[in-house]
Amino acid sequence: EDLEALAKERYAANPDIYKKRKKIKVALIMVLKYPGMEDQAKSEIEEIAAELNADPENDSLFFELAMEHSDDKMADQGGVNKKWLVAPVDLENRSPVQQAAFALDTPGQMTEIIESEYGYSIVRLLKVTPESQLSFAEVKQDIINQIVGELKYLKQAEVMQSLDAPDDLVFDDELIKQVISENLEVREAKAPEK
């Protein structure tokens, strides 16, 4: 069959596989829960949340509070993660912070206080590229390459199976010993004398 036709068929049968995942840029304020100081950490994040909720549109305030209060490694950058974060396929198995961050859809939107095993966090969405369907043209070559790889694998398996010895194969031990013995005699006869 034509590889492009097979690729189109595969694309049409599984369109959800061929999507560009959501990407986000965020800023984070995180207050760590140190043993014995959990109540102080919770109080501190609640005060930060109250200040942010009083002026929710103010990006500068978020960055300022992150620099002042966050225990995260990006605190000195206003809590801003400069990298795009790509939604993991298994988001439901990820941390509460990741789940909450990817639930945001509008730049400027903030999460409520998120509790994790490490502490309390608030995430602000800075930029978002929503999930989108990839066109067939964008994924055609990848699908064709996958099909070709699968066909090669199947052909190799077929060849290997044809090389397998039949189940009813019987070895004649006497004949094997005779052939080995004759080969040794021929080699010894051909070997130069020292």
Side-chain angles (χ1 to χ4, degrees):
E1 264 189 80
D2 178 26
L3 287 175
E4 187 167 337
L6 280 172
K8 279 182 182 175
E9 194 176 298
R10 187 170 286 189
Y11 178 83
N14 302 296
D16 286 347
I17 294 174
Y18 307 105
K19 289 190 175 184
K20 195 178 287 185
R21 293 185 302 206
K22 180 179 183 178
K23 293 189 321 184
I24 60 174
K25 281 193 177 185
V26 297
L28 172 77
I29 297 173
M30 179 182 196
V31 177
L32 292 174
K33 290 190 287 189
Y34 293 105
M37 300 180 68
E38 293 87 354
D39 291 342
Q40 291 93 324
K42 186 162 180 144
S43 294
E44 185 177 357
I45 199 74
E46 287 171 347
E47 288 173 20
I48 294 167
E51 205 169 332
L52 290 170
N53 289 330
D55 193 2
E57 304 299 315
N58 189 343
D59 283 340
S60 298
L61 177 62
F62 190 96
F63 304 143
E64 185 182 305
L65 291 172
M67 290 175 74
E68 190 177 324
H69 296 281
S70 186
D71 295 320
D72 187 70
K73 64 184 176 187
M74 296 172 292
D76 61 338
Q77 302 164 31
V80 176
N81 185 342
K82 299 197 188 284
K83 296 179 183 175
W84 282 97
L85 306 175
V86 178
V89 176
D90 62 342
L91 184 59
E92 66 279 355
N93 297 326
R94 299 302 175 116
S95 75
V97 175
Q98 280 184 306
Q99 290 179 20
F102 281 102
L104 301 173
D105 293 314
T106 308
Q109 193 177 10
M110 286 185 302
T111 64
E112 298 292 323
I113 296 170
I114 308 157
E115 183 175 5
S116 69
E117 63 180 294
Y118 303 108
Y120 300 96
S121 302
I122 299 172
V123 177
R124 184 179 195 92
L125 183 63
L126 303 176
K127 293 181 182 177
V128 63
T129 302
E131 179 181 81
S132 60
Q133 184 67 45
L134 294 167
S135 69
F136 176 70
E138 291 174 290
V139 296
K140 177 175 88 171
Q141 195 56 54
D142 290 339
I143 297 173
I144 288 173
N145 291 346
Q146 182 182 20
I147 292 169
V148 167
E150 290 168 5
L151 292 173
K152 283 181 181 177
Y153 174 80
L154 291 172
K155 189 64 178 173
Q156 287 174 340
E158 185 181 308
V159 168
M160 292 304 290
Q161 190 173 13
S162 72
L163 296 176
D164 282 349
D167 291 339
D168 60 348
L169 181 67
V170 177
F171 291 99
D172 183 338
D173 290 339
E174 291 304 312
L175 180 59
I176 291 172
K177 287 178 187 173
Q178 180 185 343
V179 169
I180 291 172
S181 174
E182 288 173 4
N183 267 328
L184 285 175
E185 288 173 12
V186 168
R187 282 189 186 171
E188 288 171 1
K190 287 184 179 179
E193 291 186 29
K194 292 185 182 179

